[in-house]
Amino acid sequence: MTLYDLVAPGPDTCAEPRYRLTEIRDADPLGADALLAALPAMNRDADVAALTVALRTLVPDLDRVAEWCVIEALAAMRDLGMLLGSLKRHGVQPVAAVPEVLPVLEELARRTDMVPRDTVHHYTTWNPLGPRQRMYTGHEMEAHLQEAVRMVFPGLVAALDTCERLAGLEPYEPGFARTLDRTAQHVQAMVDSIDFTITHVSPSYFARTLRPYFEEVDVAGRAWLGPAAAQVPLWLVDLTVWQCDRPDPGYDAFLAESVAYSLPSWRAFHAAHKDGVSAVSKLSAALSWETAHRLPPQLVASAHSLARVLRVLKTFRARHLGIARKAYGDDLRLYDQGSGGAPVALLRSVLDLTRDNETLVRQAAERPRTTAA
């Protein structure tokens, strides 16, 4: 079973074109296959002149762009984005070097309802597999990093579906614990992905070789971040599990910046739940009302299941923090912030917040009780 089978069985059964991964990967509306196969060599030689000509060659007429469906527009942004990131890595603002790309980027953004440059989805999930795979360096570690992100997509899509259901349930309902258990299973993909990354991608390769390709690019006077792991929004799971009613200034500011890089349906998910009541708050309120010596079994099950989800989130964040500390350590780093625009200190803060919520749930469920009078 492929990732495509898990997420998008086919165009006739999937209304969301951004989930039709095989179609997007197969699309080559710019005829860019041959040119992008040479991209690693251009980058190895820091051949800015060749990169500039390549971008100019791929820029389509706006009339052509107007004829494309969303799938073709996503694929076109994917391929233009590889040259945007490459030029910026070598010290050139791509839109300044090739001004005719600006209206195309803006039109592609409008047609896809996304930001006016490529995102982590373009670089990984929507990237072709095999000989057509678009890479900056052509190194096997780059291919492994792209695969690590692809591993997450089916689980994340499924987790957002269970979180949507979770938002409408209460801790006394049997479905509350079951939905959390499914969420934990889906989010485990994040842990598997980070373990895969630790095994196959060295911190030095990421920090010194690959990270420079993810720099922000100026489009019409605004800086847009490059493809970044932070654009794989585990924070949407946080939202309904604990974050929506437990604000933190640093994390909130990061989310306000990151949400723009999400898929349209994921931005809608954020808008629908950002002012809701989290699962942690629901459970805490239910536990606080219980005065009997023994908690109702369903409430105990809900507490255990919620703690399990928080444990998985905590595990991922602890391992992610470990990688980031190495990649952004004094001996390796070229940048003070991650490619998603956040410092390593924020990862530590979010890990602490996740751990605090796990502790809160566990202690609330375990606290001594007295029999009601």
Side-chain angles (χ1 to χ4, degrees):
M1 180 175 288
T2 67
L3 182 149
Y4 180 69
D5 294 323
L6 290 171
V7 177
D12 295 332
T13 59
C14 182
E16 170 55 272
R18 295 157 191 84
Y19 289 175
R20 285 152 58 175
L21 307 184
T22 295
E23 292 180 60
I24 301 170
R25 291 171 182 169
D26 287 347
D28 183 20
L30 301 178
D33 281 357
L35 191 154
L36 291 180
L39 183 61
M42 295 183 214
N43 282 322
R44 182 193 61 228
D45 298 337
D47 193 341
V48 170
L51 290 168
T52 303
V53 170
L55 178 57
R56 187 172 288 120
T57 299
L58 288 189
V59 174
D61 294 333
L62 283 175
D63 290 343
R64 283 181 61 202
V65 177
E67 296 174 354
W68 288 338
C69 65
V70 170
I71 287 170
E72 293 167 316
L74 292 170
M77 184 66 89
R78 172 197 69 207
D79 293 345
L80 292 172
M82 295 300 298
L83 289 163
L84 300 181
S86 296
L87 279 167
K88 183 61 192 296
R89 184 263 176 273
H90 299 296
V92 175
Q93 281 289 356
V95 177
V98 185
E100 57 267 37
V101 78
L102 174 60
V104 172
L105 295 177
E106 292 176 329
E107 179 63 12
L108 289 174
R110 188 188 68 79
R111 294 186 68 78
T112 61
D113 192 15
M114 295 186 70
V115 298
R117 73 158 300 180
D118 56 321
T119 68
V120 73
H121 305 290
H122 299 83
Y123 178 61
T124 60
T125 310
W126 297 330
N127 198 329
L129 306 177
R132 295 180 58 237
Q133 185 163 331
R134 281 76 161 113
M135 289 193 281
Y136 296 113
T137 70
H139 196 285
E140 65 177 355
M141 288 193 194
E142 181 177 6
H144 288 320
L145 188 65
Q146 290 173 315
E147 180 59 25
V149 178
R150 289 191 194 101
M151 289 170 60
V152 170
F153 193 77
L156 183 59
V157 170
L160 295 185
D161 183 55
T162 56
C163 285
E164 183 81 45
R165 293 201 292 273
L166 179 66
L169 295 169
E170 297 297 331
Y172 288 99
E173 298 180 77
F176 192 88
R178 288 199 300 267
T179 301
L180 283 165
D181 289 340
R182 293 192 194 102
T183 302
Q185 292 170 0
H186 299 322
V187 175
Q188 178 64 35
M190 298 291 293
V191 178
D192 297 339
S193 172
I194 206 73
D195 288 345
F196 182 87
T197 302
I198 291 169
T199 301
H200 295 288
V201 183
S202 74
S204 60
Y205 170 77
F206 177 80
R208 309 294 295 187
T209 302
L210 198 55
R211 170 66 178 82
Y213 290 98
F214 303 146
E215 274 293 87
E216 60 188 25
V217 164
D218 183 277
V219 179
R222 176 169 175 177
W224 291 99
L225 297 170
Q231 295 165 10
V232 180
L234 185 60
W235 44 265
L236 286 177
V237 177
D238 288 339
L239 189 71
T240 50
V241 172
W242 65 267
Q243 190 272 331
C244 61
D245 53 3
R246 294 168 181 272
D248 174 81
Y251 196 25
D252 294 348
F254 167 75
L255 296 184
E257 174 74 14
S258 298
V259 70
Y261 296 87
S262 290
L263 306 187
S265 60
W266 297 0
R267 299 200 305 270
F269 180 97
H270 178 266
H273 298 292
K274 64 184 178 65
D275 297 317
V277 181
S278 69
V280 169
S281 292
K282 289 179 183 179
L283 183 69
S284 296
L287 292 171
S288 70
W289 281 99
E290 286 292 334
T291 57
H293 181 65
R294 299 184 64 181
L295 290 172
Q298 190 53 58
L299 208 52
V300 173
S302 292
H304 288 323
S305 296
L306 181 52
R308 185 177 303 118
V309 172
L310 289 163
R311 249 189 332 271
V312 176
L313 294 173
K314 181 185 70 176
T315 299
F316 165 78
R317 291 201 160 104
R319 295 178 188 176
H320 185 202
L321 177 62
I323 293 177
R325 280 177 166 165
K326 293 176 181 177
Y328 290 92
D330 292 339
D331 57 333
L332 289 181
R333 72 179 180 195
L334 299 176
Y335 305 92
D336 292 328
Q337 294 187 330
S339 50
V344 174
L346 180 64
L347 300 181
R348 172 80 254 182
S349 175
V350 177
L351 172 59
D352 289 341
L353 290 168
T354 307
R355 181 181 288 120
D356 290 346
N357 278 279
E358 181 202 14
T359 300
L360 173 67
V361 169
R362 188 178 66 252
Q363 290 181 346
E366 295 173 354
R367 69 179 175 85
R369 298 171 191 280
T370 58
T371 304

